[in-house]
Amino acid sequence: MKIAVIGGAGYIGSHTVRELLDRGHTVKVFDNLSSGLRQNLFAEAEFVEGDILSEKAISDFLNDFSPEGVVHLAAFKAAGESMLLPEKYSVNNITGSLNILNAAVSAGVKYFVFSSSAATYGAPKYMPVDENHPTEPENYYGYTKLSIEGFLGWYSKLKNLRFAALRYFNAAGYDVNGRITGLEKNPANLIPVVMEALTGKRKELLVFGDDYDTHDGTGVRDYIHVNDLARGHAEAFEYLERENKDLIVNLGVSQGTSVLDIIRAAEKASGKKVPYRIVERRPGDPASLVANPNKAFELLGWKAKYSDIDTIIETTWRAYQANL
Ligand code: WQD
């Protein structure tokens, strides 16, 4: 299949491009390099630099390529920032996504795979979280993802654009074959911040609270290796082509890991102490957020292969060392 990956120079985007290429798809990448990196690009996938905020740029790209499939991973994802700058998230995440959707319709695209998020659920009412859980996002970032899922439902009904919305839990790790090593600029997520503390790029990790109702008091999350995540995108296309039905699934591994568990794994992998300090809780953080991935397993045949914490941490540490 010909597949356009919008945001394909990014962290998850580049791993998804690699997976699609490995499966023999013809891939082209559209990215504005605002957070994506040229070093994450592959020679086998033609790259077009452009912005999803330019209706002309995105429709020229899709009309020239005329792919059967589109993967959309071009969004801002900092939950905290979205509460301070909702206008930035409205324009980039919502207007940008509508530009892609309209361009996809005009270019006759059939299958649309969308990078959604566990943030669509908001604070968990039960655990593990399955796709029937209420969707009451607690931050504007999560709301933008949920609203785009709503547009996708309408475009499927009105324009026959089949979609799969993949609700990521905590994406982490780096390519197990070491083919991708681009580091996120100014990360906010836990594992890259731990790596920056280990490599001296930042003085210390601030642990946002150790008084949660979890096994060791620190926040528990469901970390999914980015190779497993990328495979979920490829299997979503296979599902859409085979079943011609829409899909909304969680991609997580239903394994809860705490901040202190991550710190210990990072110290084991690096042989160094992680400098950290316990501080106040971060507003909006739930104590624990863990996925029920059974629907993805049943419908896609998807299951995690690399999402054990040691593989996640060891592959991340290797990528950070490659950049020293
Ligand atoms: C993980 C744990 C923090 C940083 C966010 C988005 C979500 C998704 C994944 C895109 C929590 C703790 C973190 C730090 C810390 N993104 N932490 N010190 O908040 O679970 O989810 O990223 O889809 O939508 O909201 O990820 O990595 O920020 O936090 O103690 O410097 O680590 O409190 O318990 P989060 P995170």
Side-chain angles (χ1 to χ4, degrees):
M1 196 190 290
K2 290 199 291 183
I3 300 177
V5 182
I6 319 293
Y11 166 58
I12 299 173
S14 56
H15 284 86
T16 302
V17 169
R18 189 61 263 162
E19 178 69 24
L20 293 170
L21 288 170
D22 292 348
R23 289 172 180 240
H25 293 293
T26 302
V27 178
K28 284 193 182 181
V29 171
F30 184 90
D31 198 302
N32 68 357
L33 300 178
S34 63
S35 57
L37 301 168
R38 279 188 191 283
Q39 77 179 86
N40 286 345
L41 296 170
F42 293 97
E44 312 102 291
E46 187 185 323
F47 169 59
V48 171
E49 185 171 354
D51 202 312
I52 60 175
L53 297 187
S54 159
E55 290 178 89
K56 181 176 181 333
I58 187 64
S59 52
D60 286 353
F61 169 71
L62 289 180
N63 282 309
D64 293 350
F65 183 28
S66 66
E68 289 87 0
V70 166
V71 193
H72 169 22
L73 308 110
F76 294 148
K77 67 170 177 97
E81 182 191 48
S82 75
M83 302 299 273
L84 302 171
L85 295 171
E87 58 278 26
K88 178 179 171 186
Y89 282 68
S90 301
V91 169
N92 189 68
N93 288 13
I94 295 179
T95 308
S97 295
L98 287 171
N99 288 347
I100 299 169
L101 270 174
N102 292 337
V105 166
S106 78
V109 170
K110 295 196 286 189
Y111 310 115
F112 197 96
V113 172
F114 173 57
S115 156
S116 190
S117 169
T120 53
Y121 292 116
K125 291 176 168 49
Y126 58 80
M127 207 74 79
V129 172
D130 60 17
E131 291 83 356
N132 300 319
H133 187 284
T135 46
E136 293 160 3
E138 297 213 317
N139 53 61
Y140 192 62
Y141 157 75
Y143 173 74
T144 65
K145 291 291 184 176
L146 187 61
S147 57
I148 296 154
E149 288 185 7
F151 301 137
L152 288 166
W154 277 100
Y155 275 64
S156 172
K157 241 194 289 276
L158 303 178
K159 307 301 284 187
N160 251 333
L161 178 61
R162 287 291 87 76
F163 78 91
L166 307 180
R167 291 177 175 166
Y168 301 169
F169 279 67
N170 290 58
Y174 269 82
D175 182 42
V176 292
N177 297 315
R179 297 166 297 183
I180 298 169
T181 56
L183 303 182
E184 192 178 349
K185 296 172 259 195
N186 313 313
N189 289 128
L190 176 66
I191 293 176
V193 169
V194 167
M195 294 296 149
E196 290 197 347
L198 274 177
T199 53
K201 184 130 191 277
R202 64 174 73 197
K203 177 168 164 289
E204 61 186 348
L205 162 74
L206 302 180
V207 175
F208 299 143
D210 65 348
D211 57 351
Y212 285 105
D213 179 17
T214 63
H215 63 272
D216 61 18
T218 62
V220 166
R221 294 292 183 274
D222 184 333
Y223 295 94
I224 172 171
H225 193 284
V226 66
N227 284 136
D228 289 333
L229 202 53
R231 197 167 60 255
H233 291 69
E235 288 168 355
F237 274 116
E238 288 162 12
Y239 175 89
L240 293 175
E241 196 174 28
R242 185 178 66 245
E243 305 293 338
N244 196 30
K245 278 189 229 154
D246 298 331
L247 180 70
I248 297 182
V249 282
N250 291 337
L251 287 184
V253 294
S254 78
Q255 169 76 36
T257 304
S258 75
V259 176
L260 288 175
D261 292 333
I262 295 288
I263 290 172
R264 260 192 294 282
E267 292 182 336
K268 190 169 95 178
S270 66
K272 300 164 71 166
K273 294 300 280 174
V274 173
Y276 70 89
R277 187 156 49 91
I278 309 283
V279 295
E280 285 307 298
R281 292 181 175 192
R282 180 173 62 178
D285 273 357
S288 181
L289 189 61
V290 172
N292 176 336
N294 290 341
K295 190 175 169 190
F297 177 71
E298 281 153 24
L299 297 182
L300 300 180
W302 177 85
K303 55 184 179 300
K305 287 164 69 174
Y306 305 112
S307 293
D308 61 283
I309 283 306
D310 286 338
T311 302
I312 284 178
I313 295 296
E314 283 159 13
T315 54
T316 309
W317 176 239
R318 184 171 62 186
Y320 272 77
Q321 285 184 298
N323 283 273
L324 283 181

